[in-house]
Amino acid sequence: MKYQYFLSAFAIAFAAVGSASAQTMSHHHDDHADNSIGQPGMAAKADRTIKVDMNDNMRFTPDDIQVKAGDTIKFIVTNNGKIRHEMIFGSDAQLKTHYAAMLKNPEMEHADDNQITLDPGKSGELVWQFSQAGTVNFACLQPGHYDAGMKGSVTVAANGKTHKH
Ligand SMILES: [Cu+2]
């Protein structure tokens, strides 16, 4: 018996899916280097732990936080929504500038030590030391969220005694 083998050659075209990777731009903020909003803290030295909930109602709970100058706060942030949210500390001006940049480039990768970005259902920690009396703002800068009122503030009270860590 004679067997014939037919070999079919299939030309497989691999369509190069144009770099679907979103334009990734990172940016760094030296604008909080002046220490006015505080600085990254160490979890081991946290004076208090504050749980913050983020939700698709575009609100932080709580959105009004009281601390004392010098306090290191461990924020345990949870995204209980179905879309991405983030908590970013800054002055009002810093947040507005940053938000404008986010609107121009929504896929902008932004990561810094003054912020935490969380996918739905995720939790994370952000440890921050508040150094000066005054107000430190925070907001979610995902496009549309800031406009919808996803913001809050930390009131930093003067601390009479010298605070040493
Ligand atoms: Cu948000």
Side-chain angles (χ1 to χ4, degrees):
M1 248 180 122
K2 203 174 173 190
Y3 294 95
Q4 273 194 311
Y5 293 90
F6 296 95
L7 259 180
S8 298
F10 291 94
I12 301 174
F14 287 97
V17 181
S19 96
S21 65
Q23 193 184 358
T24 51
M25 274 178 60
S26 62
H27 61 208
H28 288 277
H29 312 283
D30 295 323
D31 43 0
H32 60 76
D34 64 0
N35 225 18
S36 59
I37 67 160
Q39 60 201 3
M42 288 171 60
K45 293 186 174 177
D47 296 287
R48 286 164 64 200
T49 296
I50 296 176
K51 289 184 177 175
V52 177
D53 162 79
M54 303 190 294
N55 218 315
D56 296 345
N57 58 5
M58 304 301 172
R59 290 294 179 272
F60 288 98
T61 308
D63 61 1
D64 184 11
I65 295 168
Q66 322 287 327
V67 304
K68 289 199 293 288
D71 278 359
T72 295
I73 307 293
K74 180 163 91 176
F75 293 93
I76 299 179
V77 187
T78 303
N79 180 354
N80 286 305
K82 291 186 167 54
I83 54 176
R84 175 180 287 183
H85 292 291
E86 62 202 358
M87 184 180 191
I88 304 179
F89 287 106
S91 67
D92 215 31
Q94 285 165 356
L95 292 171
K96 278 176 180 151
T97 303
H98 190 165
Y99 184 58
M102 284 290 287
L103 285 179
K104 278 187 196 151
N105 187 0
E107 296 304 317
M108 177 170 68
E109 255 183 30
H110 64 158
D112 212 337
D113 47 23
N114 65 328
Q115 72 175 76
I116 183 165
T117 301
L118 293 167
D119 284 329
K122 300 289 184 196
S123 286
E125 277 183 21
L126 179 57
V127 183
W128 197 255
Q129 182 176 29
F130 296 90
S131 45
Q132 292 179 15
T135 301
V136 175
N137 297 283
F138 58 89
C140 175
L141 300 183
Q142 291 294 305
H145 298 207
Y146 182 74
D147 295 325
M150 193 159 183
K151 55 186 91 168
S153 63
V154 179
T155 304
V156 186
N159 191 340
K161 57 182 194 275
T162 314
H163 200 103
K164 278 191 178 152
H165 282 288

